[in-house]
Amino acid sequence: MQIKKITVLIVFITFLYNCDSPNTETPKPQIIPMPTHMESTKGEFILDNSVGMSFDSNFEVSAIFLKEFIEKGSSIQLEKNNKISFIQDDTISNDEGYQLTISPKQIEIRAKTDQGAFYAVQSIRQLLPADFENGTFTSEKFAIPSITIKDEPQFKHRGMHLDVGRHFFSVDFIKKYIDALAMLKMNTFHWHLTEDQGWRIEIKKYPKLQEIAAFRDQTLIGSYDPDQQQFDGKRYGGYYTQKEIKDVVAYAQTRHVTIIPEIEMPGHAQAAISAYPELGCTGEQVKVAETWGVFDHIFCSKDETFEFLENVLDEVLELFPSKYIHIGGDEAPKTHWEKCPNCQQRIKEEGLKDEHELQNYFITRIEKYLNGKGRQIIGWDEILEGGLAPNATVMSWRGTDGAIEAAKQHHNVIMTPTSHCYFDYKQSDNEGEPLANSGGFLPLKKVYSFNPIPEELSEEESQYVLGGQGNVWTEYIPNEKQLEYMVFPRILAMSEVLWTPTKNKNYADFVARVENFHQRMDALDINYANHLYEVDGEVVATGYELKSILENKTIRFSTDGTEPNVTSEVYSGVIPIDKDLIIKAAIFDDDKKLGATFTQPINYHKALGKKISINAQPSKTYAGSGADGLINGITGSDTRINDKEWLGFDGEDLEITIDLGEEMTINSIETRFYEAPWMWIYAPKVIEYGFGEHGTSSKVEIPESKDTHANIKIDLNATTRYIHLRIPNSGLIPEGKQGAGHQPWTFIDEIIIN
Ligand code: ACM
Ligand code: ZN
């Protein structure tokens, strides 16, 4: 019922819109992020050589941006008249808000600040054809349909992060990234400048940061699996000079983007320690890191380290005028601090309980230093451990618990939970997607569904949520084109999440605007991912259901494995499953195939759609489509365990009962387990089975896996209604392996009964 209601609502909104329209041919305005209030009015404004612009000096940045956008984007040159006017309006309550009125006579921009006017300009920009973006608009005029917009952001902090430590990106590219933020009314660029794998900011007092810390001897290629690691043997690195940084900061100011630099401490400091080994606890000469992960070499808490960090920060503060400085604080293992005489001395002297309180001491001492210089700190949510520095803002990434705890303590928070904000995660299951962080899966729709306000917070507490941002860690993102692919179009969704009131969000309407935005991204030479023309499917009670992301698209399909084409059957309802099928489907428009072919083999077997029960609950993160997913005819991904098919259990012995509904002859039981020791995932050693509701009578060993999957097929000749399986966890992780001494995970895929 829910779905029907939404459809009716969309139809109604579209209807309302068309009523307002002067003529039905006028395309609907396609602004991203969607403005708070927007109303089309009668007529149109003709943008041509007769148009001029007037503005006070307080609107210089926004007015010049618009003038250059029009004049560089087309052959139209602006006069000096007030057909386009910028008007200071102090009745607009939000500093970033604006009112835009486009009528046949004029374009009027009202705002309290230049920043508000700048966002009006970005809306005008998106009302102009994409050809303006790259100077290819050749007509002498363009008619902008009349419109009134009253707009303001929902959140203050609307950001994007970029890790330039794992891979380095040029100054020109950083500017292109900032341009994209500005176009989407995002106001913060979080520049992650220091990492284990490279220190990327010139610090004049410490030249070895440039000579040594900025370069690594080689880089891991491909998978992180420690048993299969391979390196490229190539020296890699670079850093931004202070001159370049000043240039980037000034550039960002002309786009109303604030840059928050991140200088990581006490962890993710191996590159700095490689240049100055005395900054660590052991004094050991280490290399700039060549693999990914979390490293034990962190900054020591002795005075000399603070002197170094304060000197570094002094230079950082000269370069970045931002109120906030991000000091990291995440993923700092305490193993060296536990053994270090200096750190233990510090704990004793300061009366600290343990190394967590030492981390609090570390962060608080840096906070005090920066507060003394008029700045505030932001830290990742680990800064909550051992107590929060008095004025710190928390960036919540490990879910939302950190944000909830901090907001309840009346600290500001910025939301970046991995679940909705990590753009280094894969966005599609398609073959051909680039290698990505194996931790997660974040399709466009999930980003769009993000609500930065955790539901656990009261209205009063939610005032502490400043906003959110997309994070882009670059372990698996070696170049600009791939980075753009990971960022676009998910940044479009994030911009709307952070700007548009949550109640106005509508995914179907959003994806239609994303489709339209493709032209603009093409003109801007942005290598966006396009998954809008993909088909998705799932098993439902009556068979297999196909879905497309965009409405009003035609899906054509086959069930015999042949490639769908313009004459294939048009999908109109659930496909019955009564034998093995290979469903192939694609979106067609005007008799042309638009996106990739979706392929789903369905393995018809005796347990398909029958009853199954399991004694234990899979972990929330690896719950697939629940127990039913183990007998739905669909095998899980070969590479990704957090899909709809694999179930992950955290240490339990499993008891599974399948009820076939009636007695049947069965000839085999088949399944497979995932095997990835570096992720603490082990295939079980044996599987026991029997033919009652409970209890087992036979046992077989599961052959050792040669790759990441252990397959088992048990041949039988039995007549039964029930099949009972007992699958004991493989036992504690052996010494010498990651997670030694812990209970491993069990991951199980489809159970095929023939
Ligand atoms: C993080 O992802 N380590 C903040
Ligand atoms: Zn130490």
Side-chain angles (χ1 to χ4, degrees):
M1 285 320 282
Q2 192 64 23
I3 289 167
K4 260 201 192 129
K5 253 192 221 154
I6 290 169
T7 317
V8 170
L9 191 66
I10 294 164
V11 171
F12 183 62
I13 290 168
T14 313
F15 175 72
L16 267 186
Y17 181 82
N18 285 338
C19 287
D20 284 348
S21 264
N23 68 60
T24 45
E25 310 249 300
T26 308
K28 189 176 164 185
Q30 302 274 318
I31 300 170
I32 297 176
M34 176 63 107
T36 310
H37 297 284
M38 186 166 72
E39 199 186 323
S40 288
T41 52
K42 282 207 166 47
E44 53 197 24
F45 177 88
I46 305 298
L47 176 66
D48 62 14
N49 277 331
S50 76
V51 172
M53 190 187 271
S54 72
F55 61 93
D56 299 343
S57 60
N58 49 345
F59 289 118
E60 202 161 320
V61 168
S62 49
I64 289 177
F65 188 98
L66 181 59
K67 184 172 158 64
E68 288 186 353
F69 185 77
I70 292 170
E71 293 188 345
K72 286 186 183 162
S74 68
S75 59
I76 300 168
Q77 299 301 302
L78 297 182
E79 303 260 307
K80 265 210 169 60
N81 59 42
N82 57 5
K83 278 200 186 172
I84 301 178
S85 60
F86 287 75
I87 298 165
Q88 170 103 24
D89 187 341
D90 291 331
T91 67
I92 293 174
S93 58
N94 191 312
D95 280 354
E96 295 186 289
Y98 68 91
Q99 292 176 12
L100 170 65
T101 311
I102 300 181
S103 67
K105 275 215 318 255
Q106 60 172 359
I107 293 181
E108 189 184 273
I109 294 155
R110 289 181 170 271
K112 186 153 85 178
T113 68
D114 190 33
Q115 189 171 1
F118 185 81
Y119 296 141
V121 167
Q122 299 313 312
S123 291
I124 296 171
R125 169 186 190 173
Q126 292 193 31
L127 294 171
L128 293 172
D131 290 349
F132 277 79
E133 300 287 354
N134 60 355
T136 58
F137 185 79
T138 50
S139 310
E140 282 162 15
K141 61 178 180 186
F142 181 74
I144 311 175
S146 296
I147 195 165
T148 302
I149 297 177
K150 287 186 185 160
D151 203 6
E152 64 179 29
Q154 182 178 203
F155 291 103
K156 270 205 196 90
H157 180 107
R158 304 180 304 281
M160 283 297 294
H161 150 284
L162 181 61
D163 161 22
V164 294
R166 275 55 176 262
H167 283 101
F168 183 66
F169 296 88
S170 71
V171 166
D172 283 348
F173 183 78
I174 298 293
K175 288 181 177 173
K176 188 179 179 188
Y177 197 71
I178 289 168
D179 281 340
L181 267 70
M183 171 172 63
L184 297 166
K185 305 186 174 92
M186 297 174 104
N187 60 8
T188 307
F189 171 43
H190 170 176
W191 204 355
H192 183 83
L193 285 163
T194 69
E195 258 307 336
D196 299 302
Q197 297 82 3
W199 180 284
R200 306 277 174 238
I201 171 171
E202 179 188 24
I203 301 294
K204 295 198 193 276
K205 196 172 174 84
Y206 297 106
K208 284 198 234 166
L209 291 175
Q210 286 71 256
E211 287 156 30
I212 295 171
F215 296 89
R216 57 180 180 257
D217 287 341
Q218 56 179 359
T219 305
L220 180 72
I221 345 179
S223 164
Y224 177 68
D225 174 358
D227 295 332
Q228 318 180 9
Q229 285 184 352
Q230 288 187 339
F231 293 86
D232 64 2
K234 288 185 206 142
R235 185 172 150 87
Y236 181 94
Y239 61 92
Y240 305 102
T241 64
Q242 294 201 351
K243 188 160 172 265
E244 286 171 328
I245 288 175
K246 279 184 198 152
D247 174 47
V248 171
V249 169
Y251 185 85
Q253 280 168 345
T254 63
R255 278 146 184 80
H256 288 291
V257 171
T258 299
I259 303 183
I260 297 179
E262 180 178 355
I263 307 296
E264 273 264 21
M265 62 189 80
H268 290 292
Q270 189 166 314
I273 293 170
S274 156
Y276 296 100
E278 63 274 22
L279 299 173
C281 288
T282 64
E284 197 183 325
Q285 177 64 60
V286 288
K287 294 181 87 179
V288 176
E290 296 165 355
T291 63
W292 319 127
V294 173
F295 297 84
D296 286 341
H297 289 275
I298 70 172
F299 287 129
C300 181
S301 66
K302 63 194 164 203
D303 285 334
E304 292 82 345
T305 312
F306 286 103
E307 193 187 319
F308 166 84
L309 288 170
E310 287 170 9
N311 287 333
V312 165
L313 288 170
D314 283 347
E315 293 192 32
V316 169
L317 299 185
E318 281 295 313
L319 299 169
F320 294 95
S322 58
K323 168 177 163 191
Y324 291 107
I325 303 293
H326 201 305
I327 50 74
D330 61 319
E331 300 181 324
K334 308 299 185 291
T335 45
H336 287 193
W337 283 6
E338 282 161 13
K339 296 191 201 112
C340 170
N342 288 315
C343 290
Q344 291 307 313
Q345 177 71 12
R346 177 78 73 194
I347 288 176
K348 218 188 275 159
E349 270 173 22
E350 297 292 332
L352 306 173
K353 205 168 76 209
D354 56 14
E355 289 72 23
H356 291 296
E357 289 200 354
L358 183 56
Q359 160 128 344
N360 168 261
Y361 168 85
F362 200 111
I363 303 293
T364 302
R365 182 162 163 176
I366 292 291
E367 177 181 76
K368 216 180 264 171
Y369 186 75
L370 288 170
N371 286 171
K373 308 257 168 181
R375 309 297 182 98
Q376 297 291 327
I377 66 161
I378 301 176
W380 299 108
D381 57 52
E382 284 93 332
I383 67 169
L384 278 152
E385 293 164 12
L388 200 46
N391 307 309
T393 294
V394 172
M395 192 167 265
S396 189
W397 71 281
R398 296 173 304 171
T400 56
D401 289 353
I404 295 163
E405 196 182 328
K408 286 189 187 293
Q409 293 181 37
H410 295 187
H411 280 254
N412 284 334
V413 299
I414 296 164
M415 306 302 296
T416 69
T418 53
S419 58
H420 294 79
C421 302
Y422 270 44
F423 292 2
D424 54 333
Y425 291 173
K426 262 193 190 186
Q427 54 199 313
S428 162
D429 265 339
N430 249 358
E431 285 171 23
E433 282 297 298
L435 180 72
N437 185 330
S438 58
F441 182 56
L442 181 54
L444 183 66
K445 187 172 188 173
K446 184 141 187 214
V447 179
Y448 195 79
S449 74
F450 181 44
N451 181 355
I453 309 266
E455 52 186 42
E456 292 86 346
L457 294 184
S458 70
E459 203 170 320
E460 196 266 324
E461 287 159 350
S462 54
Q463 303 301 314
Y464 293 97
V465 179
L466 299 181
Q469 64 181 37
N471 287 347
V472 193
W473 301 101
T474 58
E475 287 93 335
Y476 299 96
I477 307 181
N479 59 54
E480 296 167 359
K481 285 295 155 207
Q482 196 174 322
L483 184 74
E484 289 177 356
Y485 187 87
M486 300 307 277
V487 170
F488 297 88
R490 289 184 286 191
I491 187 177
L492 303 178
M494 186 57 77
S495 79
E496 193 148 311
V497 160
L498 297 170
W499 181 280
T500 308
T502 304
K503 64 176 172 24
N504 292 2
K505 284 188 344 188
N506 176 314
Y507 188 64
D509 181 77
F510 169 72
V511 287
R513 280 178 287 128
V514 172
E515 187 183 28
N516 173 73
F517 214 82
H518 284 173
Q519 292 169 42
R520 198 165 297 274
M521 293 190 282
D522 283 330
L524 289 165
D525 191 29
I526 290 171
N527 180 40
Y528 55 91
N530 179 5
H531 299 292
L532 295 184
Y533 305 135
E534 279 176 13
V535 175
D536 194 11
E538 71 177 327
V539 177
V540 294
T542 49
Y544 199 77
E545 186 174 53
L546 295 174
K547 286 181 263 191
S548 65
I549 296 172
L550 289 163
E551 296 181 345
N552 310 318
K553 298 283 178 201
T554 304
I555 301 175
R556 293 180 183 273
F557 75 104
S558 68
T559 56
D560 60 0
T562 55
E563 195 59 29
N565 60 37
V566 291
T567 62
S568 302
E569 189 174 339
V570 173
Y571 177 79
S572 60
V574 173
I575 304 165
I577 303 171
D578 46 14
K579 55 177 190 287
D580 282 356
L581 302 174
I582 299 176
I583 296 175
K584 283 188 179 258
I587 303 263
F588 289 80
D589 194 15
D590 297 334
D591 292 337
K592 175 171 99 249
K593 181 167 170 249
L594 290 181
T597 302
F598 168 82
T599 303
Q600 181 61 71
I602 297 189
N603 191 346
Y604 184 70
H605 61 83
K606 288 183 174 151
L608 196 144
K610 302 289 164 55
K611 279 208 187 95
I612 181 167
S613 63
I614 308 182
N615 65 319
Q617 289 292 329
S619 126
K620 258 199 212 156
T621 325
Y622 303 106
S625 40
D628 291 345
L630 293 185
I631 49 169
N632 65 356
I634 298 181
T635 299
S637 160
D638 282 347
T639 53
R640 191 162 73 73
I641 43 176
N642 56 345
D643 66 356
K644 287 186 287 196
E645 308 306 328
W646 285 97
L647 294 192
F649 295 89
D650 192 1
E652 290 97 340
D653 296 336
L654 304 181
E655 302 264 353
I656 299 175
T657 307
I658 296 171
D659 176 0
L660 299 173
E662 59 184 335
E663 284 215 334
M664 294 184 186
T665 304
I666 62 170
N667 300 313
S668 66
I669 303 172
E670 228 175 307
T671 189
R672 65 174 184 165
F673 301 93
Y674 206 76
E675 175 97 19
W678 71 96
M679 294 197 287
W680 304 21
I681 301 170
Y682 284 75
K685 296 196 174 74
V686 296
I687 183 165
E688 297 167 27
Y689 61 94
F691 301 117
E693 278 186 81
H694 310 284
T696 55
S697 51
S698 309
K699 174 157 137 182
V700 288
E701 282 187 16
I702 296 169
E704 265 190 42
S705 63
K706 294 198 189 65
D707 56 16
T708 46
H709 303 102
N711 299 289
I712 172 89
K713 183 174 182 201
I714 306 167
D715 289 312
L716 308 156
N717 185 359
T719 302
T720 181
R721 170 172 169 179
Y722 295 102
I723 299 157
H724 188 81
L725 304 174
R726 205 179 99 76
I727 306 170
N729 178 282
S730 84
L732 298 184
I733 299 175
E735 276 310 312
K737 297 283 184 188
Q738 303 242 357
H742 289 267
Q743 219 35 275
W745 287 75
T746 304
F747 273 81
I748 182 169
D749 194 1
E750 182 79 359
I751 301 171
I752 301 161
I753 310 289
N754 274 313

